[in-house]
């Protein structure tokens, strides 16, 4: 299953009052595993950058002044997203800005039926807990030390890791393996090809205890393992 985890940075909180999207970052995942494919772009919002917004993401009006307009890259962005489900943290916010930009250039908005909101998932999994991206990274032990300011691609990368944990974490791999083995077809044994072993004299079973030398080598080997999981 292909999914796109994405995040946006904006000039403010509400596209209805003239705020614009200035950055988007997307991470492609297939069966909850990042494929290494991503999409990232900055956009010139054609307006000023409020100091409060710049303090969050560090993107100034001067930095964005020579960046392309959203309309210039809308087609390649939509092509990357395809028809996959779109995962975002507080997804209504990101969908609102993405669809506002699409509306401004007379393009069809993205259907909200494709929306997967990790805040809603986290609320069900951890009722009463803090639900910010930082809080969820701390809960799941995800390193965010390099996150000095918000950034769309960086936040999408962190969110992709959080999303895997919200969907079951490492247990997902076990479930997929179980499903794969359940669907495998076991070839029938062709009885005509089975050969019977010749019958010979019965022999007493051999002893398979390790020798003292083998035990000593084993102890030496085990002592050389750093930070073993069983300690």
């Amino acid at each position: 299953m292909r999914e796109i985890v994405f995040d946006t940075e904006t000039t403010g909180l509400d596209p209805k009052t003239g705020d614009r999207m200035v950055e988007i970052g997307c991470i492609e995942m297939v069966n909850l595993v990042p494929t290494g494919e991503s999409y990232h772009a900055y956009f010139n919002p054609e307006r000023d950058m409020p100091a409060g917004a710049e303090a969050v993401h560090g993107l100034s009006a001067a930095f964005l002044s020579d960046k392309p307009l959203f309309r210039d890259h809308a087609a390649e962005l939509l092509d990357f997203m395809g028809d996959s489900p779109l995962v975002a943290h507080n997804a209504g916010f990101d969908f609102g800005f993405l669809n506002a930009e699409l509306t401004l250039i007379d393009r069809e908005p993205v259907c909200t039926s494709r929306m997967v909101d990790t805040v809603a998932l986290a609320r069900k999994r951890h009722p009463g807990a803090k639900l910010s991206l930082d809080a969820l990274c701390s809960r799941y032990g995800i390193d965010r030390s390099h996150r000095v300011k918000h950034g769309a691609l960086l936040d999408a990368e962190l969110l992709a890791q959080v999303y895997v944990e919200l969907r079951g974490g490492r247990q997902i791999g076990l479930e997929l393996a179980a499903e794969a083995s359940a669907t495998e077809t076991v070839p029938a044994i062709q009885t005509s090809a089975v050969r019977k072993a010749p019958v010979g004299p019965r022999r007493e079973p051999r002893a398979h205890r390790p020798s003292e030398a083998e035990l000593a080598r084993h102890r030496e080997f085990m002592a050389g393992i750093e930070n073993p999981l069983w300690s």
Side-chain angles (χ1 to χ4, degrees), residues 63-160:
F63 172 80
L64 296 167
S65 62
D66 62 350
K67 301 301 182 285
L69 302 180
F70 177 81
R71 70 173 63 250
D72 298 328
H73 288 284
E76 66 180 25
L77 170 62
L78 293 173
D79 183 63
F80 182 84
M81 288 180 163
D83 59 359
S84 302
L86 302 177
V87 182
H89 201 61
N90 189 22
F93 176 89
D94 298 285
F95 265 72
F97 273 92
L98 175 60
N99 283 337
E101 295 292 340
L102 291 170
T103 300
L104 286 174
I105 60 173
D106 298 320
R107 285 214 176 226
E108 286 293 321
V110 176
C111 183
T112 55
S113 64
R114 296 169 58 186
M115 182 169 67
V116 180
D117 186 4
T118 50
V119 169
L121 294 177
R123 185 175 290 117
K124 290 180 180 179
R125 193 173 180 89
H126 308 294
K130 293 182 178 179
L131 304 178
S132 68
L133 182 58
D134 281 338
L136 291 171
C137 284
S138 295
R139 173 180 288 275
Y140 291 123
I142 296 169
D143 180 21
R144 66 180 193 285
S145 58
H146 50 312
R147 189 190 190 222
V148 179
K149 288 184 179 292
H150 289 223
L153 186 60
L154 171 59
D155 286 3
E157 291 170 347
L158 293 173
L159 183 59

